[in-house]
Amino acid sequence: MRREPSILHLDLDAFFAAVEQRDKPSLRGRPVVVGGTGGRGVVATASYEARAFGARSAMPTAEARRLCPPGTAFLGGRFAAYRRTSEVVMALLRELSPLVEPVSIDEAYVDLAAGDHDLSVAGVTALATDLKARLAVATGGVTGSVGIGTSKSLAKIGSELRKPDGLTVVAPGQELDVLHPLPVRSLGGVGPATAERLAQVSVKTIGDLHRLSLVDLTSLVGQAHGAGLYRLARADDDRPVITDREAKSVSAEETFARDLTDPARLAAEIDALAHRVGTRLQRSGTSGRTVTLKVRRYDFSTLTRSQTLPHAVDDPRQIAEIAHRLLAAVDRSGGLRLLGVGVSGLSPYAQGDLLAEALAPAEDAAVEDAAVEDAAVDEDPEPVPVPADPAPGPAVVAWYPGQDVVHPDLGAGWVWGSGLNRVTVRFEGPRTAPGPVRTLAADDPALQPADPPDWTTP
DNA sequence: TCTGGGGTCCTAGGACCC
DNA sequence: TCTGGGGTCCTAGGACCC
């Protein structure tokens, strides 16, 4: 908590619907619902006119159709238009301070202390009033709600208090008076599950929360979460405004109009998702070591399967290969409702960066130890030649993770990772069961590429 | 015609290492 | 000859946010 109300939070009102009403005058004053319009769509934004009939974000669009009267507009969304408008707004905020943290396309924090401003309550009130007026002009009528306080949590709560087109300044010293009557759900990080746990010990408001001891709170909701809520209930929040944070993962997923069982369709969907993820990674100049497959079954049960590779990948083919393998080990009977593919463990350098590979030989070393042990057990008379340092000269072999290979003695397998002059192969027994891992010389003539398995058959 | 898509953070168990 | 104990990595799931 700071001494002055220097943190501003801006939340654009019913943003997607507001842009639609701005661009199409016939929609003004009418209920507008933006979101998925297919059978399995959900509402992204409902205009205030639609909210009057009960339409809400995250509600199935089918339900919103039942609630809203004839004449309600159901729109699929025009994200390029939303993005352009959002950029106009973010640019306005950057005129106030260099410290702007976009939380999402329609929300941001600003640290006013990094600008040249009068940080009295009267000063920031005038600043916010002026900002709202300029916002409406610059966006052609989109409005926003502003909260200002001594911390991020107070500013965020302030912007929620009077919507739409609201302005709330929480004066220093008034934080607990504002917080304590509010329901615990007002705090960031308290969702349905946490609220239910707290309700079971009769904690409904932030004031109730304030009366819980740290020990009781952490035993109730966990160490990190409990400690965080303990501080938030006391308005003890000094989190900084962060202008740009590095992405930690990149993913794509798709819910199908109808559950899929056809292996060829599933395989094609994996390829398409991997392509979206890979191209986004490549555009941002990153790659990641962990590939995750997400599966939602016909009954909405959801599971993830992941695999961490010795090297980072960004190639759609390689990501797809890993994902195919992960999917092959999942029970698909009854049909799949959703598939997702993600890459995490991101590193800032791109795949194939030889310098980075040379600097990071640690994972390979661990694998080599395992391979040497295996070789001893098998009485392999020929120890695998593994130089301590990468040999000089160009890398000539193009093994890639997920690639299928075959070896006359070791059987069928697939590339788990490859270094400058080594290739690590996981040899399989049954199709997806993890078999032994062997490290071979990358130019071992016995090791040959193989036709990939046919993922289109069950 | 129930329940999107893109993220972040935390927890917990097992493997492995020193 | 009762069962160590941290630390890190990996995997899976869950809660939460917009």
PDB file of all heavy atoms in Angstrom, chain A residues 357-378:
ATOM      1  N   GLU A 357      22.498 -24.565 -27.919  1.00  0.00           N
ATOM      2  CA  GLU A 357      22.586 -26.003 -27.678  1.00  0.00           C
ATOM      3  C   GLU A 357      23.935 -26.372 -27.088  1.00  0.00           C
ATOM      4  O   GLU A 357      24.033 -27.182 -26.184  1.00  0.00           O
ATOM      5  CB  GLU A 357      22.367 -26.763 -28.986  1.00  0.00           C
ATOM      6  CG  GLU A 357      20.923 -26.728 -29.424  1.00  0.00           C
ATOM      7  CD  GLU A 357      20.709 -27.598 -30.653  1.00  0.00           C
ATOM      8  OE1 GLU A 357      21.551 -28.460 -30.935  1.00  0.00           O
ATOM      9  OE2 GLU A 357      19.679 -27.418 -31.300  1.00  0.00           O
ATOM     10  N   ALA A 358      24.993 -25.735 -27.600  1.00  0.00           N
ATOM     11  CA  ALA A 358      26.319 -26.035 -27.096  1.00  0.00           C
ATOM     12  C   ALA A 358      26.462 -25.584 -25.648  1.00  0.00           C
ATOM     13  O   ALA A 358      27.171 -26.205 -24.860  1.00  0.00           O
ATOM     14  CB  ALA A 358      27.368 -25.336 -27.957  1.00  0.00           C
ATOM     15  N   LEU A 359      25.749 -24.535 -25.288  1.00  0.00           N
ATOM     16  CA  LEU A 359      25.847 -24.019 -23.923  1.00  0.00           C
ATOM     17  C   LEU A 359      24.992 -24.804 -22.949  1.00  0.00           C
ATOM     18  O   LEU A 359      25.105 -24.624 -21.755  1.00  0.00           O
ATOM     19  CB  LEU A 359      25.418 -22.549 -23.893  1.00  0.00           C
ATOM     20  CG  LEU A 359      26.388 -21.583 -24.572  1.00  0.00           C
ATOM     21  CD1 LEU A 359      25.798 -20.185 -24.605  1.00  0.00           C
ATOM     22  CD2 LEU A 359      27.723 -21.581 -23.847  1.00  0.00           C
ATOM     23  N   ALA A 360      24.113 -25.649 -23.443  1.00  0.00           N
ATOM     24  CA  ALA A 360      23.185 -26.354 -22.555  1.00  0.00           C
ATOM     25  C   ALA A 360      23.268 -27.861 -22.761  1.00  0.00           C
ATOM     26  O   ALA A 360      22.316 -28.491 -23.172  1.00  0.00           O
ATOM     27  CB  ALA A 360      21.759 -25.853 -22.806  1.00  0.00           C
ATOM     28  N   PRO A 361      24.408 -28.459 -22.470  1.00  0.00           N
ATOM     29  CA  PRO A 361      24.543 -29.902 -22.703  1.00  0.00           C
ATOM     30  C   PRO A 361      24.064 -30.743 -21.520  1.00  0.00           C
ATOM     31  O   PRO A 361      24.160 -31.957 -21.558  1.00  0.00           O
ATOM     32  CB  PRO A 361      26.053 -30.072 -22.886  1.00  0.00           C
ATOM     33  CG  PRO A 361      26.640 -28.988 -22.040  1.00  0.00           C
ATOM     34  CD  PRO A 361      25.625 -27.870 -21.949  1.00  0.00           C
ATOM     35  N   ALA A 362      23.543 -30.108 -20.459  1.00  0.00           N
ATOM     36  CA  ALA A 362      23.290 -30.834 -19.208  1.00  0.00           C
ATOM     37  C   ALA A 362      22.275 -31.956 -19.392  1.00  0.00           C
ATOM     38  O   ALA A 362      22.471 -33.068 -18.914  1.00  0.00           O
ATOM     39  CB  ALA A 362      22.800 -29.862 -18.147  1.00  0.00           C
ATOM     40  N   GLU A 363      21.183 -31.695 -20.095  1.00  0.00           N
ATOM     41  CA  GLU A 363      20.146 -32.711 -20.220  1.00  0.00           C
ATOM     42  C   GLU A 363      20.679 -33.927 -20.965  1.00  0.00           C
ATOM     43  O   GLU A 363      20.403 -35.056 -20.609  1.00  0.00           O
ATOM     44  CB  GLU A 363      18.930 -32.145 -20.959  1.00  0.00           C
ATOM     45  CG  GLU A 363      18.281 -30.989 -20.270  1.00  0.00           C
ATOM     46  CD  GLU A 363      18.895 -29.671 -20.704  1.00  0.00           C
ATOM     47  OE1 GLU A 363      19.990 -29.679 -21.309  1.00  0.00           O
ATOM     48  OE2 GLU A 363      18.306 -28.646 -20.430  1.00  0.00           O
ATOM     49  N   ASP A 364      21.461 -33.666 -21.994  1.00  0.00           N
ATOM     50  CA  ASP A 364      22.036 -34.765 -22.749  1.00  0.00           C
ATOM     51  C   ASP A 364      22.911 -35.640 -21.873  1.00  0.00           C
ATOM     52  O   ASP A 364      22.879 -36.858 -21.964  1.00  0.00           O
ATOM     53  CB  ASP A 364      22.893 -34.207 -23.901  1.00  0.00           C
ATOM     54  CG  ASP A 364      22.049 -34.007 -25.144  1.00  0.00           C
ATOM     55  OD1 ASP A 364      20.821 -34.105 -25.014  1.00  0.00           O
ATOM     56  OD2 ASP A 364      22.615 -33.759 -26.208  1.00  0.00           O
ATOM     57  N   ALA A 365      23.667 -35.002 -20.986  1.00  0.00           N
ATOM     58  CA  ALA A 365      24.586 -35.757 -20.151  1.00  0.00           C
ATOM     59  C   ALA A 365      23.826 -36.764 -19.295  1.00  0.00           C
ATOM     60  O   ALA A 365      24.225 -37.920 -19.162  1.00  0.00           O
ATOM     61  CB  ALA A 365      25.385 -34.808 -19.262  1.00  0.00           C
ATOM     62  N   ALA A 366      22.687 -36.343 -18.739  1.00  0.00           N
ATOM     63  CA  ALA A 366      21.915 -37.251 -17.899  1.00  0.00           C
ATOM     64  C   ALA A 366      21.430 -38.435 -18.725  1.00  0.00           C
ATOM     65  O   ALA A 366      21.467 -39.584 -18.288  1.00  0.00           O
ATOM     66  CB  ALA A 366      20.732 -36.503 -17.288  1.00  0.00           C
ATOM     67  N   VAL A 367      20.988 -38.164 -19.942  1.00  0.00           N
ATOM     68  CA  VAL A 367      20.486 -39.232 -20.797  1.00  0.00           C
ATOM     69  C   VAL A 367      21.620 -40.190 -21.165  1.00  0.00           C
ATOM     70  O   VAL A 367      21.452 -41.391 -21.196  1.00  0.00           O
ATOM     71  CB  VAL A 367      19.839 -38.630 -22.047  1.00  0.00           C
ATOM     72  CG1 VAL A 367      19.499 -39.725 -23.051  1.00  0.00           C
ATOM     73  CG2 VAL A 367      18.588 -37.865 -21.674  1.00  0.00           C
ATOM     74  N   GLU A 368      22.780 -39.612 -21.400  1.00  0.00           N
ATOM     75  CA  GLU A 368      23.906 -40.468 -21.763  1.00  0.00           C
ATOM     76  C   GLU A 368      24.224 -41.459 -20.657  1.00  0.00           C
ATOM     77  O   GLU A 368      24.483 -42.629 -20.905  1.00  0.00           O
ATOM     78  CB  GLU A 368      25.151 -39.610 -22.025  1.00  0.00           C
ATOM     79  CG  GLU A 368      25.106 -38.942 -23.394  1.00  0.00           C
ATOM     80  CD  GLU A 368      25.941 -37.678 -23.414  1.00  0.00           C
ATOM     81  OE1 GLU A 368      26.846 -37.540 -22.571  1.00  0.00           O
ATOM     82  OE2 GLU A 368      25.676 -36.823 -24.267  1.00  0.00           O
ATOM     83  N   ASP A 369      24.178 -40.994 -19.403  1.00  0.00           N
ATOM     84  CA  ASP A 369      24.459 -41.908 -18.291  1.00  0.00           C
ATOM     85  C   ASP A 369      23.514 -43.101 -18.346  1.00  0.00           C
ATOM     86  O   ASP A 369      23.919 -44.237 -18.220  1.00  0.00           O
ATOM     87  CB  ASP A 369      24.295 -41.180 -16.954  1.00  0.00           C
ATOM     88  CG  ASP A 369      25.412 -40.170 -16.757  1.00  0.00           C
ATOM     89  OD1 ASP A 369      26.397 -40.243 -17.513  1.00  0.00           O
ATOM     90  OD2 ASP A 369      25.282 -39.322 -15.872  1.00  0.00           O
ATOM     91  N   ALA A 370      22.248 -42.821 -18.547  1.00  0.00           N
ATOM     92  CA  ALA A 370      21.271 -43.900 -18.605  1.00  0.00           C
ATOM     93  C   ALA A 370      21.590 -44.838 -19.760  1.00  0.00           C
ATOM     94  O   ALA A 370      21.525 -46.056 -19.629  1.00  0.00           O
ATOM     95  CB  ALA A 370      19.861 -43.320 -18.763  1.00  0.00           C
ATOM     96  N   ALA A 371      21.993 -44.260 -20.860  1.00  0.00           N
ATOM     97  CA  ALA A 371      22.268 -45.081 -22.033  1.00  0.00           C
ATOM     98  C   ALA A 371      23.480 -45.974 -21.791  1.00  0.00           C
ATOM     99  O   ALA A 371      23.489 -47.140 -22.181  1.00  0.00           O
ATOM    100  CB  ALA A 371      22.506 -44.184 -23.245  1.00  0.00           C
ATOM    101  N   VAL A 372      24.478 -45.441 -21.115  1.00  0.00           N
ATOM    102  CA  VAL A 372      25.665 -46.238 -20.844  1.00  0.00           C
ATOM    103  C   VAL A 372      25.308 -47.413 -19.944  1.00  0.00           C
ATOM    104  O   VAL A 372      25.754 -48.541 -20.151  1.00  0.00           O
ATOM    105  CB  VAL A 372      26.755 -45.354 -20.197  1.00  0.00           C
ATOM    106  CG1 VAL A 372      27.878 -46.211 -19.652  1.00  0.00           C
ATOM    107  CG2 VAL A 372      27.281 -44.364 -21.230  1.00  0.00           C
ATOM    108  N   GLU A 373      24.464 -47.172 -18.956  1.00  0.00           N
ATOM    109  CA  GLU A 373      24.053 -48.268 -18.082  1.00  0.00           C
ATOM    110  C   GLU A 373      23.327 -49.354 -18.868  1.00  0.00           C
ATOM    111  O   GLU A 373      23.601 -50.523 -18.711  1.00  0.00           O
ATOM    112  CB  GLU A 373      23.136 -47.732 -16.983  1.00  0.00           C
ATOM    113  CG  GLU A 373      23.913 -47.156 -15.815  1.00  0.00           C
ATOM    114  CD  GLU A 373      22.979 -46.675 -14.730  1.00  0.00           C
ATOM    115  OE1 GLU A 373      21.889 -47.269 -14.588  1.00  0.00           O
ATOM    116  OE2 GLU A 373      23.334 -45.715 -14.062  1.00  0.00           O
ATOM    117  N   ASP A 374      22.420 -48.912 -19.711  1.00  0.00           N
ATOM    118  CA  ASP A 374      21.690 -49.872 -20.530  1.00  0.00           C
ATOM    119  C   ASP A 374      22.663 -50.717 -21.349  1.00  0.00           C
ATOM    120  O   ASP A 374      22.531 -51.921 -21.454  1.00  0.00           O
ATOM    121  CB  ASP A 374      20.744 -49.141 -21.483  1.00  0.00           C
ATOM    122  CG  ASP A 374      19.474 -48.755 -20.770  1.00  0.00           C
ATOM    123  OD1 ASP A 374      19.282 -49.217 -19.617  1.00  0.00           O
ATOM    124  OD2 ASP A 374      18.686 -48.014 -21.343  1.00  0.00           O
ATOM    125  N   ALA A 375      23.638 -50.048 -21.917  1.00  0.00           N
ATOM    126  CA  ALA A 375      24.585 -50.750 -22.774  1.00  0.00           C
ATOM    127  C   ALA A 375      25.325 -51.826 -21.990  1.00  0.00           C
ATOM    128  O   ALA A 375      25.542 -52.929 -22.478  1.00  0.00           O
ATOM    129  CB  ALA A 375      25.569 -49.752 -23.383  1.00  0.00           C
ATOM    130  N   ALA A 376      25.685 -51.526 -20.745  1.00  0.00           N
ATOM    131  CA  ALA A 376      26.412 -52.488 -19.935  1.00  0.00           C
ATOM    132  C   ALA A 376      25.550 -53.716 -19.674  1.00  0.00           C
ATOM    133  O   ALA A 376      25.997 -54.847 -19.788  1.00  0.00           O
ATOM    134  CB  ALA A 376      26.832 -51.839 -18.616  1.00  0.00           C
ATOM    135  N   VAL A 377      24.318 -53.501 -19.358  1.00  0.00           N
ATOM    136  CA  VAL A 377      23.424 -54.615 -19.077  1.00  0.00           C
ATOM    137  C   VAL A 377      23.274 -55.503 -20.308  1.00  0.00           C
ATOM    138  O   VAL A 377      23.250 -56.714 -20.226  1.00  0.00           O
ATOM    139  CB  VAL A 377      22.045 -54.073 -18.632  1.00  0.00           C
ATOM    140  CG1 VAL A 377      21.025 -55.198 -18.589  1.00  0.00           C
ATOM    141  CG2 VAL A 377      22.178 -53.421 -17.261  1.00  0.00           C
ATOM    142  N   ASP A 378      23.219 -54.842 -21.466  1.00  0.00           N
ATOM    143  CA  ASP A 378      23.039 -55.593 -22.697  1.00  0.00           C
ATOM    144  C   ASP A 378      24.339 -56.217 -23.210  1.00  0.00           C
ATOM    145  O   ASP A 378      24.340 -56.843 -24.255  1.00  0.00           O
ATOM    146  CB  ASP A 378      22.495 -54.660 -23.802  1.00  0.00           C
ATOM    147  CG  ASP A 378      21.069 -54.253 -23.494  1.00  0.00           C
ATOM    148  OD1 ASP A 378      20.515 -54.785 -22.519  1.00  0.00           O
ATOM    149  OD2 ASP A 378      20.537 -53.405 -24.225  1.00  0.00           O
TER     150      ASP A 378
END
